[in-house]
Amino acid sequence: AGMIVIGLISHLRQISYTVRALTFLGILYLLGVTDLTFFGLAEDWRLYFSGFTILAALFLGWRTGLVALLLSLVTFILIAWQISIGNIEITASAFGSPIPDGSTIIAFSLVFFLMNVVVIAAVMTLLNEFENATKKERQAAATLGQKSAELEHSLNREIQLASEVVLALKREEDLNRLRSKIITTLSHEFRTPLTVINNSASLLEKYYDRLSDSKRKEQLMRIRQSITSLTKLVQGASNVERTQKEVVLTQKESIQFGELCQRLDTELRQETAVSANFELLILGDETKELVLDYYLLKQVIYHLLTNAFKFSAPDLPVRLHLACNNHLTITVIDEGIGIPPDDKDKVWELFYRGSNIDSRSGLGLGLVIVKQLLESMAGEITLSDNPKGGTIFTVKLPVNQRFIESMH
């Protein structure tokens, strides 16, 4: 008997899904017809026909379910009518099934039809919700896979850049210290966001169905934030590597001081985490013509503001002063943790981070990039202590009047 069952199962597995489904549904339908014919209206025919109808919708779609429902309904009406006129005699009913009249047949038909329509609608609604949830999960998994591939590519690029930096600095006396600092900093800064991504992805994979929509969105947001953080770190390292190996070419343009301030204010507010206590002060003739590389200038201010926000409490002010006289002067003032005296000469070194920055993220690249960009623009930068606490960075850039005159 066991071999026969095994052989039957093996044979059924070779049959297509549609044929197997139709076979099973046909059996249910025949059971319903048999039960109704021999046992009458008081027995289990409704269970067989309802199972036939609902499973048809599940296996083959809602249209097939409706066809099965109509077939069951027509079959019931025909058999019940035959019973009522005496063409079919109930011989096996254990409950003494009554002979139905016209009103009984109509009542049974309406109840059976409405009940199955409601069940089919509910089942199909649940299936659609499940399919939508599954689709969203697959899309999220695909997006996560794409982001992971991009992250892996960026990490590979970062490892390559780190190797090039190490080779370029072999002639330096502090090569061993710098190499150790690079490895330690990268390992520390990448560990936290990668751990967040891994934990959130595992949580979504194991408990997706149990999590509420808000919890799912929270985990996806954590993954996006971690990827953004990693991207910024990779971009920072890439910018330093590029500026060290290549000459930074400037693309100067003529722009009025007022327009410059307006563009900086709009774009920096969009690109940096500007706090509510950010203050912008503009001093000078707003119609004065300046000739400079706007993109490089914005990068300089971006890194200075990013550091100011990072190392200042959210309730403390960060000020940006833009002044134009014989020079363009940019001053960034914060009231944050400041820079210790022993670190002031070292903050311009590659990968150096202040001794008082505790657990704040970063690679120590911002000020290095700022200094290199300013050198390409013939500018200079100084830092000093803010009497109220914090740091003041002052940038001075020349105004190229000869270039302006040649443009006119």
Side-chain angles (χ1 to χ4, degrees):
M3 296 299 295
I4 294 175
V5 172
I6 294 175
L8 181 61
I9 293 175
S10 299
H11 178 70
L12 290 175
R13 293 183 62 184
Q14 298 176 2
I15 302 175
S16 68
Y17 172 83
T18 303
V19 175
R20 281 182 288 171
L22 290 175
T23 302
F24 180 74
L25 294 173
I27 294 173
L28 281 178
Y29 175 76
L30 291 177
L31 287 173
V33 172
T34 303
D35 186 90
L36 183 60
T37 302
F38 290 96
F39 296 92
L41 275 64
E43 300 295 337
D44 298 329
W45 63 273
R46 284 164 293 191
L47 295 178
Y48 294 119
F49 281 166
S50 294
F52 168 66
T53 300
I54 296 170
L55 291 178
L58 283 173
F59 291 164
L60 303 174
W62 66 270
R63 292 183 177 87
T64 306
L66 291 179
V67 172
L69 175 58
L70 294 176
L71 177 60
S72 300
L73 189 60
V74 170
T75 302
F76 163 75
I77 294 173
L78 290 175
I79 295 176
W81 178 67
Q82 292 296 317
I83 294 173
S84 68
I85 63 177
N87 290 341
I88 297 178
E89 183 177 355
I90 305 301
T91 59
S93 175
F95 300 97
S97 180
I99 302 300
D101 54 17
S103 60
T104 302
I105 295 174
I106 294 174
F108 270 76
S109 299
L110 289 175
V111 171
F112 177 80
F113 179 81
L114 292 176
M115 180 185 70
N116 281 274
V117 167
V118 171
V119 173
I120 291 175
V123 169
M124 298 312 298
T125 299
L126 291 175
L127 282 177
N128 288 334
E129 291 180 358
F130 177 78
E131 290 177 358
N132 291 335
T134 303
K135 184 178 180 180
K136 291 180 180 178
E137 182 179 2
R138 290 176 180 173
Q139 291 176 346
T143 301
L144 180 60
Q146 181 181 359
K147 294 295 184 181
S148 298
E150 294 174 357
L151 177 59
E152 181 179 1
H153 177 74
S154 298
L155 289 176
N156 291 335
R157 177 59 178 166
E158 174 60 25
I159 293 174
Q160 179 183 357
L161 295 178
S163 299
E164 293 174 357
V165 171
V166 171
L167 292 176
L169 295 175
K170 278 186 177 180
R171 295 185 298 271
E172 301 290 336
E173 294 180 354
D174 59 348
L175 173 62
N176 292 332
R177 178 185 63 82
L178 183 57
R179 178 186 298 171
S180 176
K181 186 64 178 177
I182 293 173
I183 296 174
T184 301
T185 305
L186 287 177
S187 299
H188 173 75
E189 295 300 327
F190 278 90
R191 186 183 299 116
T192 300
L194 287 177
T195 300
V196 171
I197 292 173
N198 182 65
N199 292 342
S200 296
S202 298
L203 186 62
L204 289 172
E205 180 181 3
K206 295 179 180 178
Y207 306 106
Y208 184 87
D209 292 336
R210 302 181 188 178
L211 296 175
S212 63
D213 289 340
S214 60
K215 292 294 183 181
R216 295 172 188 168
K217 291 179 181 178
E218 178 183 351
Q219 297 303 320
L220 291 174
M221 182 60 67
R222 294 183 65 192
I223 292 174
R224 292 191 186 98
Q225 290 174 346
S226 299
I227 292 174
T228 300
S229 176
L230 288 171
T231 302
K232 289 182 179 179
L233 292 176
V234 172
Q235 288 177 344
S238 299
N239 289 336
V240 170
E241 190 270 347
R242 179 177 59 83
T243 54
Q244 286 194 333
K245 291 184 62 176
E246 305 173 1
V247 177
V248 179
L249 301 178
T250 60
Q251 297 181 352
K252 295 183 178 181
E253 59 179 297
S254 177
I255 184 172
Q256 288 188 350
F257 177 59
E259 180 185 357
L260 172 71
C261 296
Q262 183 178 4
R263 286 178 60 183
L264 288 173
D265 184 33
T266 301
E267 296 179 15
L268 289 173
R269 288 181 184 275
Q270 294 175 349
E271 299 176 9
T272 61
V274 173
S275 67
N277 296 321
F278 174 69
E279 299 178 8
L280 173 63
L281 178 63
I282 300 173
L283 299 173
D285 182 6
E286 296 187 7
T287 62
K288 187 176 181 63
E289 291 281 344
L290 306 178
V291 176
L292 46 77
D293 189 317
Y294 172 80
Y295 174 78
L296 296 185
L297 175 62
K298 187 179 73 171
Q299 289 298 309
V300 169
I301 301 176
Y302 170 86
H303 286 292
L304 293 177
L305 285 178
T306 299
N307 280 348
F309 292 130
K310 181 187 298 184
F311 300 116
S312 300
D315 58 337
L316 293 178
V318 173
R319 300 179 178 89
L320 172 62
H321 294 177
L322 301 175
C324 182
N325 293 309
N326 295 328
H327 291 80
L328 175 62
T329 304
I330 302 105
T331 307
V332 177
I333 306 170
D334 67 68
E335 298 181 15
I337 62 175
I339 299 176
D342 294 338
D343 293 339
K344 289 182 178 178
D345 293 333
K346 300 176 182 179
V347 294
W348 311 107
E349 297 176 6
L350 187 62
F351 295 107
Y352 185 82
R353 307 186 71 206
S355 58
N356 62 336
I357 62 173
D358 51 63
S359 60
R360 292 175 174 86
S361 62
L363 293 178
L365 302 177
L367 293 180
V368 176
I369 295 174
V370 166
K371 189 172 183 179
Q372 291 175 343
L373 292 178
L374 287 174
E375 288 176 354
S376 67
M377 301 168 69
E380 59 181 31
I381 183 171
T382 58
L383 68 89
S384 59
D385 293 330
N386 185 352
K388 297 181 180 180
T391 308
I392 300 175
F393 285 92
T394 303
V395 174
K396 289 187 176 181
L397 289 170
V399 177
N400 194 340
Q401 292 290 344
R402 292 182 180 178
F403 183 82
I404 296 175
E405 294 172 357
S406 65
M407 292 182 62
H408 297 285

